[in-house]
Amino acid sequence: MLNILQSDTSKLQNIILPDSVQKAQFAETVQKLEKLSHMDYRQILTDLAQEAGWIILKIVLAIAIYFVGKLIIKWVIRVMDRAFTRHNVETSLRSFLRSLVKALLMIVLLLAIVQTLGVNTSSFLALFASAGLAIGMALSGTLQNFAGGVILLILRPYKVGDYIEAQGQSGTVESIGLFSTCLKTPDKQTIYVPNNTIATSIIDNYSQSETRRVDWILSISYGDDVDVARREILAMLNSDKRVLTDTPPVVYVKELADSSVELSVRAWCANADYWELFFDMNERMYKELPSKGINFPFPQMSVNIKQK
């Protein structure tokens, strides 16, 4: 019991401060109140109003710089387009340079706005560089696509308007962007192929050459006259103005298949006429050759049954 009373007494001594300490704390409180009573609240409010006005002015100025900068960027892009048109710059290069210049100008505009708001641009640039390094490591694939776009513009394996096939996709090149190439398929689908993958893959460009060879594989029945088939097919091709005469069309016996004789038909035409000539001749051969004694066989199999 005595021990409990002694512990309670020690706790009360810790809670109740000595008179000298209490007097010192009271004097400090009085001094703080005196300082508050001598403060000029009007001056404080005036300073706060001035600071608020300056902050609002900087915000309004930053907004004005943003809109003026956007107008300047649009004007620069229009001037670039006129210069490209005047100097006959290739369309694919135009698209790439336009995107690159626009991105750089937007970064400059952002730095101008940040500096107007009072942020130290040197520290901001250091932070931006550090963030750029981290983002670059995280988005290494995107940077590779950018490098792939540069390679495509330097080597120029294709340009806007070419019909190409790459990475299992085919279509007409609509644009070559900073990171991807846009293809438009014949059935009006839009496909974006990453520049890095397309720059390192096999590209079939069907539009680089002005002429193109059209190939048909025609199956006729055994017993049909090959010479008659050749003569009729060549007559059809020579009567079509889209078939070029510089390299005459030819008909070869390609293979003696299981149930038919395979004929290889080849003719040259302008690149733009390829598909129309291909489909039109398919239809003409189907309609006209049977009247000349040339038949198209069905797959057949002979089965011999031996009875014991």
Side-chain angles (χ1 to χ4, degrees), residues 40 49 73 158 165 183 192 208 257 271-272 289:
D40 190 354
I73 291 174
Y158 57 83
E165 182 178 353
L183 302 180
Y192 294 92
Q208 276 193 342
N271 207 321
L289 287 179

Side-chain angles (χ1 to χ4, degrees), residues 201-256:
S201 66
I202 298 175
I203 302 173
D204 290 336
N205 190 333
Y206 298 101
S207 301
Q208 276 193 342
S209 178
E210 296 181 358
T211 60
R212 189 174 173 187
R213 195 183 74 185
V214 191
D215 291 85
W216 295 270
I217 301 298
L218 190 64
S219 299
I220 65 174
S221 299
Y222 278 102
D224 289 349
D225 195 330
V226 174
D227 293 331
V228 173
R230 179 183 290 111
R231 183 178 66 248
E232 296 300 328
I233 293 171
L234 292 177
M236 292 180 198
L237 293 173
N238 291 325
S239 64
D240 196 308
K241 295 181 179 180
R242 292 170 296 187
V243 177
L244 301 178
T245 58
D246 297 340
T247 304
V250 294
V251 178
Y252 296 112
V253 176
K254 177 178 179 291
E255 182 183 356
L256 301 178

Side-chain angles (χ1 to χ4, degrees), residues 6-298:
Q6 288 178 352
S7 62
D8 292 340
T9 304
S10 61
K11 289 180 181 179
L12 289 173
Q13 289 177 353
N14 292 331
I15 295 173
I16 300 174
L17 298 174
D19 291 341
S20 59
V21 176
Q22 292 180 2
K23 290 178 180 178
Q25 291 181 349
F26 178 75
E28 184 179 356
T29 303
V30 171
Q31 289 178 358
K32 290 181 179 179
L33 292 175
E34 288 179 353
K35 289 181 181 179
L36 290 174
S37 63
H38 288 88
M39 291 179 66
D40 190 354
Y41 293 102
R42 292 182 179 179
Q43 184 63 35
I44 293 174
L45 293 176
T46 302
D47 294 341
L48 290 175
Q50 290 178 352
E51 289 294 330
W54 176 242
I55 292 173
I56 293 173
L57 179 61
K58 289 195 292 185
I59 293 174
V60 172
L61 185 59
I63 294 174
I65 290 175
Y66 172 76
F67 286 105
V68 172
K70 291 280 287 185
L71 293 175
I72 292 175
I73 291 174
K74 290 182 179 178
W75 176 78
V76 170
I77 297 299
R78 284 199 299 268
V79 171
M80 287 180 58
D81 289 336
R82 294 192 193 119
F84 290 155
T85 303
R86 187 167 57 251
H87 295 285
N88 295 323
V89 178
E90 188 180 345
T91 307
S92 55
L93 184 59
R94 293 185 193 183
S95 176
F96 185 85
L97 291 179
R98 189 188 298 112
S99 301
L100 180 61
V101 171
K102 187 175 181 180
L104 293 176
L105 291 177
M106 287 299 295
I107 293 175
V108 173
L109 177 60
L110 177 63
L111 292 176
I113 292 173
V114 169
Q115 188 173 12
T116 302
L117 292 175
V119 179
N120 188 0
T121 55
S122 59
S123 59
F124 181 79
L125 287 174
L127 179 63
F128 183 78
S130 302
L133 179 60
I135 294 173
M137 294 177 66
L139 302 177
S140 59
T142 303
L143 296 179
Q144 290 175 359
N145 289 329
F146 176 80
V150 175
I151 293 173
L152 290 174
L153 288 173
I154 294 175
L155 301 179
R156 298 173 62 184
Y158 57 83
K159 61 182 183 298
V160 173
D162 286 354
Y163 188 88
I164 67 170
E165 182 178 353
Q167 289 293 308
Q169 304 294 336
S170 60
T172 302
V173 179
E174 288 284 310
S175 63
I176 303 175
L178 291 176
F179 306 109
S180 63
T181 295
C182 177
L183 302 180
K184 185 75 72 174
T185 63
D187 57 349
K188 301 304 180 183
Q189 294 185 25
T190 301
I191 300 175
Y192 294 92
V193 184
N195 285 336
N196 179 47
T197 57
I198 200 171
T200 56
S201 66
I202 298 175
I203 302 173
D204 290 336
N205 190 333
Y206 298 101
S207 301
Q208 276 193 342
S209 178
E210 296 181 358
T211 60
R212 189 174 173 187
R213 195 183 74 185
V214 191
D215 291 85
W216 295 270
I217 301 298
L218 190 64
S219 299
I220 65 174
S221 299
Y222 278 102
D224 289 349
D225 195 330
V226 174
D227 293 331
V228 173
R230 179 183 290 111
R231 183 178 66 248
E232 296 300 328
I233 293 171
L234 292 177
M236 292 180 198
L237 293 173
N238 291 325
S239 64
D240 196 308
K241 295 181 179 180
R242 292 170 296 187
V243 177
L244 301 178
T245 58
D246 297 340
T247 304
V250 294
V251 178
Y252 296 112
V253 176
K254 177 178 179 291
E255 182 183 356
L256 301 178
D258 293 336
S259 57
S260 64
V261 178
E262 304 287 336
L263 301 182
S264 175
V265 182
R266 301 177 181 179
W268 289 85
C269 67
N271 207 321
D273 297 332
Y274 178 87
W275 288 112
E276 290 184 2
L277 179 62
F278 178 79
F279 293 126
D280 289 346
M281 280 299 160
N282 275 341
E283 185 173 350
R284 286 191 63 184
M285 291 177 189
Y286 177 74
K287 289 180 177 180
E288 299 179 17
L289 287 179
S291 63
K292 307 298 181 180
I294 306 301
N295 301 303
F296 306 111
F298 296 100

